[in-house]
Amino acid sequence: QSIELTLERAAERGLPPSANIYFGQLLGMADHLTYSLGGAGYRAYKYVPYGKIQEVMPYLVRRAQENSDMLGGVAVELRMLRNEIIRRSLPF
């Protein structure tokens, strides 16, 4: 939802994808959104929390709880990955 809102607000202001708008996502979360943003010309990056496990795990658990509604998106992402693997495996 935050990505959609940001894109709507940018469009309302006439800001192109080349404007200084950056999208950051935790590695492994909603990769299909990152690919779509990058494909549309937006700057999108993935980040990886780094540190001792006892310092990183609370953050990862909190993020998982915040994004529990995204778990339905995992099935969509797996389907997209499977389709892409099949597409790449077939001859031209």
Side-chain angles (χ1 to χ4, degrees):
Q1 294 171 348
S2 60
I3 291 173
E4 292 172 355
L5 180 61
T6 301
L7 294 175
E8 287 174 15
R9 296 286 166 84
E12 289 170 4
R13 290 165 175 75
L15 297 172
S18 60
N20 288 329
I21 301 171
Y22 295 83
F23 296 90
Q25 295 178 308
L26 181 61
L27 183 65
M29 297 290 284
D31 289 333
H32 63 286
L33 295 176
T34 309
Y35 299 144
S36 296
L37 288 167
Y42 290 95
R43 294 176 177 102
Y45 65 91
K46 293 291 192 173
Y47 66 93
V48 178
Y50 176 80
K52 296 179 181 179
I53 191 74
Q54 61 268 26
E55 296 171 356
V56 175
M57 281 307 294
Y59 172 76
L60 293 175
V61 169
R62 188 172 63 251
R63 294 295 303 173
Q65 290 171 338
E66 291 170 356
N67 294 298
S68 61
D69 61 325
M70 289 182 54
L71 292 178
V74 172
V76 172
E77 194 162 335
L78 287 173
R79 187 172 56 251
M80 292 170 64
L81 288 169
R82 185 173 38 255
N83 290 342
E84 182 63 15
I85 290 170
I86 291 169
R87 185 188 71 78
R88 291 183 185 195
S89 300
L90 297 175
F92 295 100

